[in-house]
Amino acid sequence: MSTLSTLYRGETTIGFVGQARRWFIVSGVALVLCLASLAIQRLNLSLDFTGGTAIVMPNPVGASVGEVRAALGATGGTARIQLIDDGEAVRVQTEAIDLETEQQIVRSLVNVTGTVIELTDVESVGPTFGRQIAGRAVQALGVFLAVVVVFISIRFEWKMAVGAIAALLHDLIITSGAYSLLRFEVTPATVVAVLTILGYSLYDTVVVYDKIRENVAEDQERRTYTEIVNRSMNQVLMRSINTSLTSLLPVGSLLFIGSILLGAGTLREFALALFVGIGAGTYSSIFIAAPLLALWKERETEWSRRRYRAERKRARKAGSGAPPRLSSRGQRASTGRTRSRKR
């Protein structure tokens, strides 16, 4: 209970900046894994981004993926075949095809699954429309990042804006890497979720920066910038933890209970981005944005001089408690006391 009380009062003394190397190594390893997955496996983009035709049909006889691919023949070689709803339905996604080929695929699926053609759900998206959706998603992300830079530069300073962008890119890569590693489908709802978690991450970072700016303005003890950042982080740490937990609990319910246990697959793509993004956003605000800002600001002339004076002051205090030195004659230096000797 004492630890929780200390956290709630903001009286912890965790050296966030002093352990920055550790945080950066952890983030670096995670980023390398995510980038490698994105380069090798790429993202599992939905039909809305790639264009093509998706055919969903009930599977009452329980046909396997191999049986469906064999029934499709030459078309099955390039089609993406999935069993959904625990094998109760089959989904076939192909590139853009003509109407005759589409009808041929539907007839083949009817034969292998033992269903009726009236229950077939066919969705077609042109390649031009898919490129427009992807282009607009990239544009939305670019506009968001530009607004972030302008806002933080005006509200705080441009170095804080760079730190916030670094944290946002960290969250974006981690979230995208999670989709690539888990092979979850990226839909337009995923893009909405990603923009949402970037806004959440930005909010958390701004809270931290605002506390740092407040402590810099009120500093009367001539602390170094690292000491101010550590003090600010300890003061807002519990607030960040509480905000994250209250957000992760309902999102975790959507992801683990709604989509995995209850089978609501439409929630999975949306909930995963929120869950991973909120966790990564909290981490990056505390362990990336703030330490990166402190290490950068310490290079400025004013803060470099203040650090130098603080180090000299600590050195003088440490020297005052040192044991008395011996003189050249082997006698102890004077300590302010005299001691009589017998002749």
Side-chain angles (χ1 to χ4, degrees):
M1 291 299 294
S2 59
T3 303
L4 286 177
S5 300
T6 304
L7 279 172
Y8 271 105
R9 291 194 299 268
E11 297 176 353
T12 53
T13 56
I14 302 173
F16 293 96
V17 181
Q19 302 179 39
R21 180 182 177 86
R22 179 183 303 175
W23 316 132
F24 292 165
I25 290 176
V26 171
S27 295
V29 172
L31 291 175
V32 168
L33 290 176
C34 291
L35 290 173
S37 179
L38 290 169
I40 297 172
Q41 294 192 129
R42 300 182 182 275
L43 290 172
N44 180 20
L45 298 176
S46 69
L47 195 70
D48 299 283
F49 295 103
T50 60
T53 301
I55 303 172
V56 179
M57 183 175 293
N59 186 21
V61 302
S64 65
V65 173
E67 292 172 341
V68 174
R69 193 174 298 278
L72 294 179
T75 309
T78 58
R80 182 188 301 174
I81 303 172
Q82 297 174 295
L83 296 180
I84 57 178
D85 297 334
D86 295 329
E88 295 182 1
V90 61
R91 184 176 188 270
V92 178
Q93 181 176 334
T94 69
E95 57 187 13
I97 55 177
D98 54 34
L99 182 59
E100 182 180 351
T101 305
E102 177 186 310
Q103 292 175 346
Q104 180 182 351
I105 292 175
V106 170
R107 287 193 296 267
S108 299
L109 289 175
V110 168
N111 293 332
V112 72
T113 59
T115 186
V116 294
I117 195 170
E118 286 78 9
L119 298 177
T120 303
D121 181 17
V122 180
E123 178 185 4
S124 296
V125 177
T128 303
F129 180 77
R131 286 194 296 268
Q132 289 178 349
I133 292 293
R136 288 174 182 174
V138 174
Q139 289 176 3
L141 179 62
V143 170
F144 177 83
L145 295 178
V147 171
V148 167
V149 171
V150 173
F151 169 75
I152 297 183
S153 298
I154 295 174
R155 184 70 173 81
F156 300 100
E157 61 173 294
W158 69 271
K159 288 185 178 180
M160 288 186 173
V162 173
I165 291 297
L168 290 178
L169 292 178
H170 170 276
D171 302 340
L172 182 62
I173 294 174
I174 294 295
T175 306
S176 302
Y179 272 82
S180 176
L181 289 168
L182 298 176
R183 304 307 298 158
F184 277 22
E185 191 175 43
V186 177
T187 64
T190 306
V191 177
V192 175
V194 168
L195 293 176
T196 301
I197 60 102
L198 290 182
Y200 177 92
S201 175
L202 175 63
Y203 163 78
D204 219 12
T205 303
V206 167
V207 168
V208 173
Y209 282 172
D210 190 61
K211 194 63 179 179
I212 293 173
R213 188 191 63 167
E214 177 183 334
N215 285 335
V216 168
E218 296 178 354
D219 180 47
Q220 300 295 332
E221 301 178 16
R222 311 302 293 176
R223 294 186 179 94
T224 65
Y225 203 87
T226 294
E227 292 171 341
I228 293 175
V229 170
N230 283 334
R231 181 167 180 257
S232 303
M233 293 302 307
N234 283 284
Q235 289 174 340
V236 301
L237 180 60
M238 199 62 206
R239 176 179 179 178
S240 297
I241 293 175
N242 285 335
T243 304
S244 301
L245 287 177
T246 54
S247 302
L248 286 174
L249 286 175
V251 173
S253 300
L254 286 176
L255 178 61
F256 296 105
I257 299 177
S259 64
I260 297 177
L261 297 181
L262 300 181
T266 54
L267 298 176
R268 186 177 60 179
E269 290 77 17
F270 184 80
L272 178 66
L274 290 177
F275 189 83
V276 175
I278 289 174
T282 303
Y283 173 88
S284 64
S285 299
I286 297 174
F287 300 110
I288 301 296
L292 185 63
L293 174 67
L295 295 175
W296 198 357
K297 293 286 288 184
E298 286 285 5
R299 297 176 179 271
E300 293 182 0
T301 303
E302 176 187 352
W303 295 107
S304 179
R305 290 175 178 173
R306 185 179 292 196
R307 186 180 72 252
Y308 175 73
R309 289 194 296 267
E311 290 174 352
R312 288 190 59 187
K313 185 177 181 181
R314 285 194 293 267
R316 286 196 300 269
K317 288 183 178 179
S320 63
R325 297 181 180 179
L326 293 177
S327 66
S328 59
R329 297 181 180 180
Q331 298 177 342
R332 290 190 178 276
S334 174
T335 60
R337 294 181 299 177
T338 60
R339 189 168 56 181
S340 63
R341 305 175 95 185
K342 290 185 179 180
R343 293 184 179 273

